[in-house]
Amino acid sequence: MIKNQWYAILDSRQVKKNKLIGVTRLSEKLVFWRDAAGDVHCVYDKCCHRGASLCAGKLVNDHVECPFHGFQYDASGKVTYIPANGAAAKVVENYRVHAYPARDAYGFIWVWYGDYSADLPEIPFFEELKTGFSYGQFSENWNVHYSRAIENQLDVVHLPFVHHNTIGRGNRTLVNGPVVKWQENCMTFYVKNEPDHGQRPQKPNEIADYEKLFHLRFQMPNIWQNIISDQLRVFAAFAPVDEENTHIYLRFYQSFVHVPVLKQLVNALSTVSNRVILHQDRRVVLTQLPKKSEFTMKENLVQGDLPILEYRKKRDQLKRANDAAEPQK
Ligand code: FES
Ligand SMILES: [Fe+2]
């Protein structure tokens, strides 16, 4: 995990009012709830008294009540009430669990994984998808570290093999470039695959007018989009579950159909084809070893793997830069 980042980790609709939901994300057991005002909160899901899971408890006036002995927690993770000690008793400061800053934005629940700050940065969502689009969505778990699931979506070399009968038709096995451009922590990569007629693949700096090529975008730490056209995007969020699991939220964004019923139909139909393509990927990615990638590892990459290499490098840089402090529990 890269610290000090906002991660998209749940669909907003999964966190409902007056209900606790327990999930494993970011290799932590977490409990979420939505308060009466609609704001989302998240704390570590292990009672500081004797370790019971808080998500099996209940909400009492926006406070989480542990199901075991009734300790109550506020949104900052502090115990506010210990029934056995009586309502008049003061609760000392170290009776608490770690609270994770959480936000509801763009249809996702985002969690800040890292050092607490009163002044957290903005949530890194794609500017162009913030307005004007609607989407259909499905999600599923993959038994791989999130780095592998992400790299699969940065992989332009696999298209004619994994997707030979869908998006990779045309036997375009020769990979020119690709050209990779970073803007802060957002990578855009431009794809120029073509059939092999014995020509040498162009190096990234030999590709003129690359901006006109088909391109995709990845925003650190865990969202991606395939820019099919101005009005069509395939989007994915890769929610890290633990060292060997990732929950993928795949969305189809479109801005050309606005009529309500038709819009739902288009969005639903598109998720069917996206699921077929994602499952072509899943079949292969789940076999990759090791389940997690690193910047330095024993793999023999090729020129066409540049977006993957660039991702590994950036991930490594950000990890090192933010590794100073462990989040407390
Ligand atoms: S374990 Fe939670 S109150 Fe005792
Ligand atoms: Fe793929």
Side-chain angles (χ1 to χ4, degrees):
M1 299 293 313
I2 310 166
K3 285 177 198 151
N4 297 335
Q5 308 284 320
W6 284 110
Y7 287 83
I9 61 160
L10 284 176
D11 182 330
S12 295
R13 291 167 299 189
Q14 289 177 269
V15 184
K16 302 185 168 61
K17 269 193 185 168
N18 295 321
K19 206 170 166 348
L20 295 167
I21 168 170
V23 289
T24 300
R25 292 286 191 271
L26 313 167
S27 291
E28 307 278 357
K29 275 181 70 191
L30 303 173
V31 58
F32 289 85
W33 72 99
R34 200 180 281 276
D35 66 21
D39 292 331
V40 171
H41 304 286
C42 173
V43 299
Y44 185 51
D45 189 12
K46 188 180 133 199
C47 183
C48 72
H49 177 216
R50 289 180 51 224
S53 185
L54 296 170
C55 69
K58 60 181 184 188
L59 278 169
V60 180
N61 300 324
D62 285 341
H63 286 195
V64 179
E65 183 183 279
C66 178
F68 209 169
H69 314 97
F71 280 33
Q72 286 185 8
Y73 294 84
D74 67 14
S76 75
K78 192 176 151 15
V79 177
T80 54
Y81 174 43
I82 300 174
N85 290 351
K90 216 171 146 337
V91 181
V92 291
E93 195 54 36
N94 63 332
Y95 280 54
R96 58 181 313 125
V97 290
H98 183 69
Y100 297 78
R103 305 265 191 283
D104 182 347
Y106 318 117
F108 284 111
I109 303 298
W110 303 74
V111 163
W112 176 254
Y113 178 83
D115 306 327
Y116 179 78
S117 156
D119 189 21
L120 294 171
E122 255 184 65
I123 288 171
F125 198 67
F126 296 118
E127 200 54 47
E128 63 269 36
L129 295 182
K130 287 184 179 174
T131 51
F133 281 87
S134 68
Y135 61 84
Q137 174 181 286
F138 72 94
S139 77
E140 63 185 27
N141 196 76
W142 279 22
N143 178 220
V144 290
H145 186 258
Y146 79 99
S147 56
R148 290 297 199 185
I150 286 171
E151 287 177 3
N152 173 59
Q153 304 297 343
L154 310 179
D155 183 340
V156 302
V157 180
H158 81 296
L159 296 167
F161 300 95
V162 172
H163 306 297
H164 63 95
N165 57 355
T166 54
I167 53 170
R169 277 193 212 102
N171 207 28
R172 294 188 296 269
T173 53
L174 188 117
V175 179
N176 295 295
V179 177
V180 174
K181 296 287 170 194
W182 284 96
Q183 226 180 351
E184 301 258 333
N185 291 334
C186 184
M187 175 210 292
T188 304
F189 54 107
Y190 300 83
V191 185
K192 192 184 175 193
N193 294 5
E194 56 190 7
D196 187 347
H197 302 300
Q199 74 279 37
R200 171 181 76 74
Q202 291 173 286
K203 298 215 180 316
N205 60 8
E206 293 170 342
I207 301 178
D209 289 340
Y210 65 83
E211 289 101 331
K212 294 188 184 133
L213 296 172
F214 174 67
H215 54 285
L216 302 94
R217 205 161 273 158
F218 178 71
Q219 167 69 50
M220 302 292 286
N222 75 331
I223 59 169
W224 166 94
Q225 63 166 321
N226 181 348
I227 302 164
I228 297 170
S229 76
D230 282 349
Q231 294 185 306
L232 273 186
R233 309 292 167 97
V234 180
F235 169 100
F238 303 89
V241 174
D242 58 27
E243 289 295 293
E244 298 204 340
N245 290 284
T246 304
H247 202 86
I248 301 179
Y249 296 87
L250 201 86
R251 290 180 176 176
F252 169 80
Y253 277 83
Q254 60 84 16
S255 64
F256 60 92
V257 185
H258 299 287
V259 184
V261 179
L262 199 58
K263 181 170 85 178
Q264 279 154 9
L265 189 70
V266 168
N267 294 350
L269 281 177
S270 63
T271 62
V272 174
S273 59
N274 284 330
R275 197 189 296 261
V276 169
I277 292 163
L278 193 71
H279 287 180
Q280 291 184 318
D281 290 310
R282 187 178 63 174
R283 192 174 68 87
V284 184
V285 177
L286 262 54
T287 68
Q288 280 185 284
L289 291 174
K291 285 193 177 293
K292 176 181 182 177
S293 76
E294 302 286 355
F295 179 42
T296 313
M297 66 189 297
K298 284 190 179 133
E299 287 190 343
N300 297 303
L301 301 185
V302 295
Q303 179 187 298
D305 290 321
L306 187 62
I308 292 173
L309 183 64
E310 288 273 340
Y311 164 68
R312 289 182 184 174
K313 199 192 292 178
K314 178 68 90 178
R315 190 164 152 256
D316 192 62
Q317 282 169 355
L318 289 175
K319 265 172 83 169
R320 284 168 194 275
N322 289 294
D323 254 358
E326 284 289 333
Q328 323 121 10
K329 301 250 163 53

Short mmCIF file of all heavy atoms in Angstrom, two decimals, residues 47-52 54 66-71 73, ligand 1:
data_model
loop_
_atom_site.label_atom_id
_atom_site.label_comp_id
_atom_site.label_asym_id
_atom_site.label_seq_id
_atom_site.Cartn_x
_atom_site.Cartn_y
_atom_site.Cartn_z
N CYS A 47 -12.83 -3.92 18.57
CA CYS A 47 -13.09 -3.18 19.81
C CYS A 47 -11.83 -3.14 20.67
O CYS A 47 -11.12 -4.14 20.83
CB CYS A 47 -14.23 -3.86 20.57
SG CYS A 47 -14.68 -2.96 22.08
N CYS A 48 -11.56 -1.96 21.24
CA CYS A 48 -10.34 -1.80 22.04
C CYS A 48 -10.49 -2.46 23.41
O CYS A 48 -9.52 -2.57 24.16
CB CYS A 48 -9.98 -0.33 22.18
SG CYS A 48 -11.09 0.57 23.28
N HIS A 49 -11.71 -2.91 23.77
CA HIS A 49 -11.89 -3.58 25.05
C HIS A 49 -11.34 -5.00 24.97
O HIS A 49 -10.25 -5.28 25.45
CB HIS A 49 -13.39 -3.58 25.44
CG HIS A 49 -13.69 -4.31 26.72
ND1 HIS A 49 -14.85 -5.03 26.89
CD2 HIS A 49 -12.99 -4.43 27.88
CE1 HIS A 49 -14.86 -5.56 28.10
NE2 HIS A 49 -13.74 -5.20 28.73
N ARG A 50 -12.05 -5.91 24.27
CA ARG A 50 -11.55 -7.28 24.19
C ARG A 50 -11.67 -7.87 22.79
O ARG A 50 -11.86 -9.07 22.61
CB ARG A 50 -12.23 -8.14 25.26
CG ARG A 50 -11.71 -7.76 26.68
CD ARG A 50 -12.32 -8.56 27.80
NE ARG A 50 -12.25 -9.97 27.54
CZ ARG A 50 -13.29 -10.83 27.74
NH1 ARG A 50 -14.43 -10.38 28.24
NH2 ARG A 50 -13.16 -12.10 27.48
N GLY A 51 -11.54 -6.96 21.81
CA GLY A 51 -11.28 -7.40 20.44
C GLY A 51 -12.44 -7.87 19.60
O GLY A 51 -12.23 -8.42 18.52
N ALA A 52 -13.68 -7.65 20.05
CA ALA A 52 -14.82 -8.09 19.22
C ALA A 52 -14.94 -7.19 17.98
O ALA A 52 -14.50 -6.05 17.98
CB ALA A 52 -16.11 -8.05 20.03
N LEU A 54 -16.73 -4.77 15.66
CA LEU A 54 -17.76 -3.75 15.90
C LEU A 54 -18.91 -3.82 14.90
O LEU A 54 -20.02 -3.40 15.19
CB LEU A 54 -17.13 -2.35 15.86
CG LEU A 54 -16.09 -2.08 16.95
CD1 LEU A 54 -15.35 -0.79 16.67
CD2 LEU A 54 -16.76 -2.02 18.32
N CYS A 66 -20.52 -1.58 20.56
CA CYS A 66 -19.94 -2.92 20.45
C CYS A 66 -20.95 -3.96 20.94
O CYS A 66 -21.60 -3.77 21.97
CB CYS A 66 -18.65 -3.00 21.28
SG CYS A 66 -17.91 -4.66 21.22
N PRO A 67 -21.07 -5.09 20.17
CA PRO A 67 -22.10 -6.08 20.55
C PRO A 67 -21.74 -6.87 21.81
O PRO A 67 -22.60 -7.55 22.36
CB PRO A 67 -22.12 -7.01 19.33
CG PRO A 67 -20.76 -6.90 18.73
CD PRO A 67 -20.32 -5.49 18.97
N PHE A 68 -20.49 -6.76 22.28
CA PHE A 68 -20.06 -7.63 23.38
C PHE A 68 -20.41 -7.04 24.76
O PHE A 68 -21.18 -7.62 25.53
CB PHE A 68 -18.55 -7.88 23.26
CG PHE A 68 -18.07 -9.21 23.80
CD1 PHE A 68 -16.76 -9.62 23.53
CD2 PHE A 68 -18.88 -10.04 24.56
CE1 PHE A 68 -16.29 -10.84 24.03
CE2 PHE A 68 -18.42 -11.25 25.05
CZ PHE A 68 -17.12 -11.65 24.78
N HIS A 69 -19.89 -5.84 25.06
CA HIS A 69 -20.15 -5.25 26.38
C HIS A 69 -20.65 -3.81 26.29
O HIS A 69 -20.62 -3.07 27.26
CB HIS A 69 -18.87 -5.30 27.23
CG HIS A 69 -18.17 -6.63 27.18
ND1 HIS A 69 -17.11 -6.88 26.33
CD2 HIS A 69 -18.42 -7.79 27.82
CE1 HIS A 69 -16.71 -8.13 26.45
NE2 HIS A 69 -17.49 -8.73 27.35
N GLY A 70 -21.04 -3.44 25.06
CA GLY A 70 -21.74 -2.17 24.88
C GLY A 70 -20.89 -0.91 24.86
O GLY A 70 -21.45 0.19 24.94
N PHE A 71 -19.57 -1.01 24.76
CA PHE A 71 -18.77 0.22 24.63
C PHE A 71 -19.30 1.00 23.42
O PHE A 71 -19.60 0.41 22.39
CB PHE A 71 -17.29 -0.11 24.36
CG PHE A 71 -16.46 -0.49 25.56
CD1 PHE A 71 -17.01 -1.18 26.62
CD2 PHE A 71 -15.10 -0.18 25.58
CE1 PHE A 71 -16.22 -1.56 27.70
CE2 PHE A 71 -14.32 -0.55 26.66
CZ PHE A 71 -14.86 -1.23 27.72
N TYR A 73 -18.61 4.12 20.59
CA TYR A 73 -17.55 4.89 19.91
C TYR A 73 -18.15 6.02 19.10
O TYR A 73 -19.16 5.84 18.44
CB TYR A 73 -16.79 3.98 18.92
CG TYR A 73 -16.00 2.87 19.57
CD1 TYR A 73 -16.61 1.67 19.91
CD2 TYR A 73 -14.65 3.02 19.82
CE1 TYR A 73 -15.89 0.65 20.49
CE2 TYR A 73 -13.90 2.00 20.40
CZ TYR A 73 -14.54 0.82 20.74
OH TYR A 73 -13.82 -0.20 21.32
S1 FES B 1 -15.23 -6.37 23.37
FE1 FES B 1 -16.27 -4.61 22.80
S2 FES B 1 -17.20 -3.91 24.61
FE2 FES B 1 -16.08 -5.65 25.20
#
